[in-house]
Each structure stands twice: as C-alpha cells, then as structure tokens.
C-alpha cells in the first residue's frame, strides 16, 4: 500500500512539474486540472504518512509515534485534502458552466488572476476550516488535545455534508450543460461557436471521468465514515476486528487507485499534458557529456525552445502542420504565434 502511495504521489507530481513545459499562458481549465493533480498527490502522500504513523510504526514495530495533538493536525490535513479535491472538481464544473453558458463573456469573467486566487482558496480554506472546527469542538485545549468528538455523528455529518453538497451542485451544473449541448446539436442555440463548443465538451468529458473516479473511489470511505460511529446506526464494537481490517484495506486501496488512474486520464485526454510529459521524459533521459546534451553554461529555457522536432512530421507549404499522436493536426503558424515549446533534443 505504501509503495502505491509513493507511486501515486510521484506520478501526480510529474503532471504538475510537466505543466511548466506547456505553452504560456495556461488556460483556466488547465490551471484547475494541474492543481487537481497536485491535490491527488497531496492526498496520496497524506494517506501514506497516516499509514506509517498510525499503523506501520505502532503496530508493526511497536514504536509510539504521535501524541494526540499531532494526530489531530494530521486528521485535519487528511480531511482537508479530501474536501479540497471536491472543491477543485466544483471549480472545474463552474468553469465549464460559464464557458458553455456565457462563451462571449468567458474571457472577462474567468481571468488568470481570479483563477490563481481561487486555487489558493481551494487549498487553504478546507484545511483551515477543519483546524478551526477542531478547535471549536474542544480538540485543541491548554491541558492537552482531545479526540473524543471524532467518533460521533455530529462531526461525521459535517464531513459528509462537505462531500455531498459539492456533488449535488456539480450534478445540476452538468445536467444544465448537457441540455445546452443538446440544444446546440438540434440547432436551437444561437451565438455559439461550434469549434469552441466542441473543445468545451471535450474538457467536460475529461472532468466527468475524473469526477467518476472521485465518486467511485471516495464514496465507500465516506459512507463507511458516516454509518459506523458511537452514536450512529452501527457501533464499531458490533463489527469483528477482521471486518474492520478488510474495510480499511478496501477503502484505502480505492483512494490510492484514484490517484493512479487520474494521471492516465490527463495523459489520454489532454494533448498538452501528453506532450509535456514526453518532453519531461526527454529531459530526465538527458545525460551529461552526450552529444546535444544540455550544457551548464547555456540558457536552459533557450535550449528547450530551440530543440528540433522529434517524432513530428513537418512540411514547408502554407498549410504546414504538426501531426501529434497520428491523428491531431495543429498548424505550425498557430504554434509559433502561441509560443508553444518544442520537444527537447538531448
């Protein structure tokens, strides 16, 4: 389990690092998606840390690790990561909603500054909320921290509401988006650019796939969390210890599986991410002293942008285009005007 947590963290962090190799500026959808990949990396790392601190060291090696206060902080960080992921998905849903419902006003409403500010709130607010809630519930006290409120239904209902309310909002947003797309296909919707709509629909499908993994992989953990507690419908003592172990393994495996599947969706559905990951791999495979390798004294950014086209076919006619992955054609003049980075030559 710990190995898969490490793998999930590394893969999602590679998505975030490769974003620096994408042409500037990043679109709002890409900004939210890269931040969501960071949230997945954060969730995988926190889960792995929790397994080490709460299970491996005390149970496997008999080492007493954290006192109650650090344990409470770790729980706030873990739950904050879960709600941050839901908040990212909600932000993506609103971004798609504005892009399809108000395409002419999208650039004015969804600015880069607002996107970056929103991403900061998406990360900070969930964690701060749980820290404040724990303090208000009597968790942080002068005479020591208390974990007594955690296994009761009041706290569990708060966490469940923060999970299900964004899902309900996303359900209504994507339902309206589906209706708008159907109206456009029937020709009853005017003032809508067809190519822009197709691009927005493709981004919506990508987000829905990620949302599907979020629901399928987190729903069992949340349902278990709200059904089994001291004053819930099922008391923990009613279950055999083996059942507790099997449920914990199943829920944690699903959470790690989400962190492993989402990068595959990014690479398969987003050409920019796929190209950036390819360039990142080329950078990592560069070896000092080999012909064409990056020299310490040279400007790295200039070297990257000056790389030759590797694996891409080009012509010299006015309709020259780059063929990516055998099926997508992008005019070279569009890439040059957008300042798209070129593949790296090692």
């Amino acid at each position: 389990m710990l190995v898969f947590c490490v793998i999930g963290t590394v893969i999602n962090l590679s998505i975030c690092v490769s974003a620096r190799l994408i042409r500037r500026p990043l679109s709002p959808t890409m900004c939210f998606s890269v931040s969501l990949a960071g949230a997945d990396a954060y969730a995988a790392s926190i889960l792995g840390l929790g397994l080490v601190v709460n299970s491996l060291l005390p149970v496997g090696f008999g080492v007493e690790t954290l006192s109650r206060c650090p344990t409470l902080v770790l729980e706030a960080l873990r739950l904050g990561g879960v709600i941050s992921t839901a908040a990212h998905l909600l932000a993506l849903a609103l971004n798609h909603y504005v892009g399809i419902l108000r395409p002419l006003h999208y650039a004015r409403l969804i600015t880069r500054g607002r996107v970056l500010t929103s991403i900061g709130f998406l990360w900070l607010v969930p964690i701060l909320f749980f820290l404040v809630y724990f303090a208000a519930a009597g968790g942080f006290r002068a005479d020591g921290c208390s974990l007594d409120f955690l296994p009761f239904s009041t706290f569990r209902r708060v966490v469940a509401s923060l999970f299900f309310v964004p899902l309900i909002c996303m359900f209504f947003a994507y339902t309206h988006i589906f209706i708008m797309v159907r109206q456009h296909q029937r020709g009853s919707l005017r003032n809508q650019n067809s190519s822009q709509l197709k691009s927005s629909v493709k981004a919506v499908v990508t987000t829905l796939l990620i949302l599907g993994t979020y629901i399928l992989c987190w729903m069992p953990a949340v349902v278990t969390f709200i059904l089994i507690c001291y004053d819930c419908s099922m008391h923990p003592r009613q279950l055999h210890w083996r059942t507790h172990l099997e449920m914990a393994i199943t829920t944690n495996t699903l959470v790690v599986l989400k962190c492993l599947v989402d990068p595959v969706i990014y690479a398969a559905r987003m050409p920019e991410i796929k190209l950036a990951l390819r360039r990142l791999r080329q950078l990592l495979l560069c070896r000092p002293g080999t012909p064409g390798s990056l020299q310490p004294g040279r400007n790295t950014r200039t070297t990257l942008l000056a790389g030759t086209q590797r694996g891409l076919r080009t012509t010299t006619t006015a309709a020259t285009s780059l063929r990516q992955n055998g099926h997508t054609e992008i005019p070279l003049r569009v890439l040059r005007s957008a300042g798209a980075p070129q593949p790296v030559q090692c």
Side-chain angles (χ1 to χ4, degrees):
M1 185 72 71
L2 289 175
V3 173
F4 288 113
C5 288
V6 173
I7 294 175
T9 301
V10 172
I11 293 177
N12 282 280
L13 285 179
S14 67
I15 298 288
C16 300
V17 173
S18 67
R20 296 182 60 84
L21 305 178
I22 302 175
R23 66 180 183 270
R24 292 291 190 269
L26 297 179
S27 66
T29 301
M30 186 62 63
C31 288
F32 284 123
S33 299
V34 171
S35 183
L36 179 58
D40 285 336
Y42 173 82
S45 61
I46 288 294
L47 177 60
L49 180 61
L51 291 175
V52 171
V53 172
N54 299 324
S55 299
L56 181 62
L57 293 180
V59 178
F61 297 97
V63 178
E64 187 176 353
T65 53
L66 298 179
S67 60
R68 290 187 174 184
C69 289
T71 301
L72 202 59
V73 172
L74 183 62
E75 184 68 9
L77 295 176
R78 184 182 71 86
L79 293 176
V82 177
I83 304 306
S84 178
T85 303
H88 275 83
L89 291 171
L90 180 59
L92 275 169
L94 296 177
N95 173 69
H96 297 321
Y97 187 79
V98 174
I100 292 180
L101 191 66
R102 295 287 185 269
L104 300 179
H105 304 281
Y106 179 81
R108 179 176 59 85
L109 295 175
I110 311 296
T111 62
R112 182 173 180 82
R114 291 178 179 176
V115 169
L116 295 179
T117 302
S118 300
I119 289 175
F121 279 106
L122 293 176
W123 278 93
L124 294 177
V125 171
I127 297 175
L128 292 177
F129 170 82
F130 281 107
L131 291 175
V132 173
Y133 180 87
F134 288 174
F140 299 107
R141 297 182 301 187
D143 56 344
C145 296
S146 173
L147 307 177
D148 296 339
F149 66 94
L150 292 179
F152 288 93
S153 61
T154 301
F155 168 68
R156 305 295 177 99
R157 284 196 295 264
V158 171
V159 176
S161 63
L162 294 176
F163 177 85
F164 286 107
V165 169
L167 289 183
I168 295 174
C169 295
M170 284 184 276
F171 172 78
F172 286 108
Y174 284 119
T175 300
H176 196 187
I177 288 175
F178 176 77
I179 295 174
M180 296 285 291
V181 172
R182 293 293 294 176
Q183 289 179 351
H184 181 272
Q185 291 176 345
R186 294 173 181 174
S188 59
L189 191 63
R190 299 179 180 179
N191 299 326
Q192 180 70 287
N193 185 281
S194 180
S195 61
Q196 181 182 1
L197 181 64
K198 290 180 180 179
S199 177
S200 299
V201 170
K202 183 178 180 180
V204 167
V205 173
T206 302
T207 306
L208 285 176
L209 291 175
I210 298 173
L211 176 61
T213 62
Y214 177 77
I215 295 175
L216 292 177
C217 296
W218 274 109
M219 186 66 74
V222 174
V223 171
T224 303
F225 188 74
I226 62 179
L227 290 181
I228 303 176
C229 63
Y230 287 174
D231 57 343
C232 295
S233 58
M234 187 178 298
H235 197 280
R237 294 178 181 176
Q238 296 177 353
L239 300 177
H240 192 266
W241 68 269
R242 188 182 297 275
T243 304
H244 278 288
L245 180 61
E246 293 173 351
M247 293 174 62
I249 293 176
T250 301
T251 54
N252 289 333
T253 301
L254 289 174
V255 172
V256 176
L257 182 63
K258 175 193 180 302
C259 298
L260 295 175
V261 171
D262 283 355
V264 177
I265 297 176
Y266 292 131
R269 299 285 306 178
M270 296 182 175
E272 299 92 340
I273 294 293
K274 183 182 296 185
L275 180 60
L277 288 174
R278 185 182 304 156
R279 296 188 66 246
L280 180 63
R281 184 175 63 252
Q282 291 173 346
L283 278 176
L284 296 176
L285 293 178
C286 287
R287 294 292 184 270
T290 58
S293 62
L294 300 178
Q295 301 299 327
R298 300 175 61 183
N299 187 309
T300 303
R301 176 180 291 265
T302 304
T303 305
L304 297 183
L305 295 180
T308 59
Q309 308 298 326
R310 178 173 294 182
L312 302 175
R313 291 187 239 170
T314 61
T315 63
T316 57
T317 62
T320 301
S321 62
L322 294 178
R323 183 174 298 274
Q324 300 178 5
N325 309 319
H327 65 279
T328 303
E329 292 187 358
I330 303 177
L332 278 178
R333 60 178 180 274
V334 175
L335 291 175
R336 293 190 183 109
S337 63
Q342 307 297 331
V344 179
Q345 180 185 11
C346 296

